[in-house]
Amino acid sequence: MSDLRELYQEIILDHYKRPRNFRKLEGAKGEAEGYNPLCGDKVTVYLELEDDRVRDISFQGSGCAISTASASVMTEYVKGKTRAQAEALFERFHDLVTGKLQTTPDAPELGKLAVFSGVSEYPVRVKCATLAWHTLRAALEGGEEAISTE
Amino acid sequence: MRVVNELTATQTPRGSHGTFDVERIREDFPVLKQQVHGKPLVYLDNAATSQKPQVVIDTITQYYLTVNSNVHRGVHFLSEQATQAYEGARDKVRRFLNAPHTREIIFVRGSTEGINLVAQSYGRTFLKEGDEIIISAMEHHSNIVPWQILCEQIGARLRVIPINDNGEVLLDEYKKLLGERTKLVSVVHVSNVLGTINPVKPIIEMAHSRGVPVLLDGAQAAPHLPVDVQDLDCDFYVFSGHKLFGPTGIGVLYGKAHLLETMPPYQGGGDMIRAVTFEKTLYNVPPYKFEAGTPHIEGVIGLGAAIDYLSGIELERIAAYERELLVYATEVLSSIPGLRMIGTAKEKASVLSFVLDHVHAHDIGTILDQEGVAIRAGHHCAMPLMQRFGVPATARASLAFYNTRTEIGMLVRAIYKVKELFD
Ligand SMILES: Cc1ncc(COP(=O)(O)O)c(C=O)c1O
């Protein structure tokens, strides 16, 4: 059970049960859909940009605790960031969940996102944690294609 | 033949006399003896693939140690032995399915390839634009997509028999779908998601009364029920070796001889020909016509050993034991608050799909795994079926005859851990 608590930290369970920014953003400028065919997880990310900055962001969809919490924490975190900052965060986050960052103090900019460090012990769950981020990237790039983790 | 036959003949399965002794049967499966994450392995993912008894592993090893050679072409001793073992296994499969002739048994990679073979060889030859193929709402993708490909190629149409909330096909609706344009029916014998045992006999009878042939996808049926293709009177039957305690990469397509004879080859190459000139090629007869190239010899021989092993225990006894275990497991799982079973047909085999309130199947899978309990979480290659039940995914425990009540207890305990974490 203690190992599982590493993965399912309180913050993750909290964001799963009460996801933040979980709504459709009316009149969103950017929007992308992400899909994980392995488990059927779906997420749509909505964006409102002001110049180069994320003025508002929200998401909708259905998924497991890891993917829902990841999307929820992501929206909190990315709000107010520039495109470049968001991209850089995703890279750090990706390193974190794939075990490339040994300790979170290596990446203080991750802040609360560090709760997802446990995911690196569960390789099959990496896609759950990164689905929303991949989708965010697509929304930022304004691509039309739906994003798939496969 | 010497080695391979001696080997399978001298190792009778342990449960073969008297009562069904599951503990002794478990001794035959080395993989079950290990620990996972520090907990005893509880393997409940048998619908995905089954474990292999020692005798199957040994038979394959012995084949490579002593017999290895190509089949159907060598004049030398080993090749003759390999050919005998290979063809001997074909006869074991024939008996297993109670098929009339060995020429009706075609070795393929698995159920998937068997269905694709029928779609491309039979379908492209005998179906045309405007024709209809009937499947059910509970098909595995492997019994949907090959038909969609065919439909696209020839302009035929796919029709789907609906199911009720218990996961049972609606025979009345099926009757309405059967019509002038129906040229083929292809349905699953036992559902890999719901466990439903379909009423295949009436399905076949109704199709035959209109002269329509029927394919049965037996991937999940062959490991759990005695299958008699003559009694069923199906026209095609497919199953996969790896779900039947045999090796991966080998499966079987049974087809009625008169149909196979009229069907063109599926692939071209060695072994499937009689004579080749650059102007014209004479094809071999079934089954060889459909087995181009060097086959999966080790797989075929291993499958033969698996069938011998099962025959030693008797499928009726396996089915009876599993039925009892399924009833028990259904009862204890259903008593867990917030758990909903998906698939509650009256006639069921060895599959328990469920969803838990407020917990995604994927999370259930991860947490159960930490407890040593291996289940599957996801859409089980049946996305249209998930839609039918309005769930993105289910958790699925699927049983084999080596599973025990104790293991079901461990599954239940692990599910309570999930609830503890999420509540
Ligand atoms: C009902 C059913 N049909 C077909 C298949 C495909 O079998 P294979 O992947 O061995 O070809 C499966 C495997 O999961 C199945 O459960």
Side-chain angles (χ1 to χ4, degrees), chain B residues 240-283:
Chain B
S240 300
H242 70 98
K243 297 187 199 278
L244 193 77
F245 317 99
T248 52
I250 190 67
V252 169
L253 164 66
Y254 156 83
K256 282 184 179 167
H258 73 96
L259 292 172
L260 294 178
E261 270 147 25
T262 59
M263 287 160 56
Y266 173 56
Q267 292 180 330
D271 245 17
M272 53 74 72
I273 49 85
R274 270 229 167 114
V276 177
T277 66
F278 285 114
E279 286 70 43
K280 189 171 169 55
T281 291
L282 279 180
Y283 301 132

Side-chain angles (χ1 to χ4, degrees), chain A residues 29 42 57-58 60 72 94 98 111 130-131:
Chain A
K29 284 285 174 311
K42 268 189 202 134
I57 175 170
S58 71
Q60 279 193 315
S72 172
H94 199 271
T98 51
T130 56
L131 177 64

Side-chain angles (χ1 to χ4, degrees), chain B residues 382-401:
Chain B
M383 289 164 79
L385 186 57
M386 296 292 110
Q387 280 174 6
R388 166 65 180 80
F389 282 94
V391 293
T394 74
R396 177 188 72 186
S398 52
L399 312 173
F401 57 86

Side-chain angles (χ1 to χ4, degrees), chain A residues 1 3-5 7-8 13 16-17 35 37-41 62-66 122 125 128, chain B residues 39 358-360 362-364 366-367 370-371 377-379 383 392-393 417-418 420-423:
Chain A
M1 209 61 173
D3 294 349
L4 281 168
R5 288 276 178 208
L7 177 63
Y8 293 105
L13 291 172
Y16 171 57
K17 289 173 192 164
Y35 182 56
L38 190 72
C39 47
D41 285 2
S62 72
C64 63
I66 306 298
Y122 301 81
R125 306 305 299 273
C128 308
Chain B
K39 310 269 168 62
H358 317 304
V359 191
H360 190 279
H362 221 171
D363 296 311
I364 302 176
T366 293
I367 298 167
Q370 290 298 306
E371 297 299 311
H379 54 64
M383 289 164 79
K417 290 225 162 154
V418 176
E420 199 181 305
L421 195 67
F422 272 80
D423 281 350

Side-chain angles (χ1 to χ4, degrees), chain B residues 47-48 109-113 115 140 142 188 190-192 217 219-220 240 242-243 376 396:
Chain B
R109 277 195 299 134
S111 307
T112 303
E113 193 178 40
I115 298 170
H140 188 276
S142 65
V188 71
V190 171
S191 159
N192 64 310
D217 171 1
Q220 300 295 344
S240 300
H242 70 98
K243 297 187 199 278
R376 180 146 175 204
R396 177 188 72 186

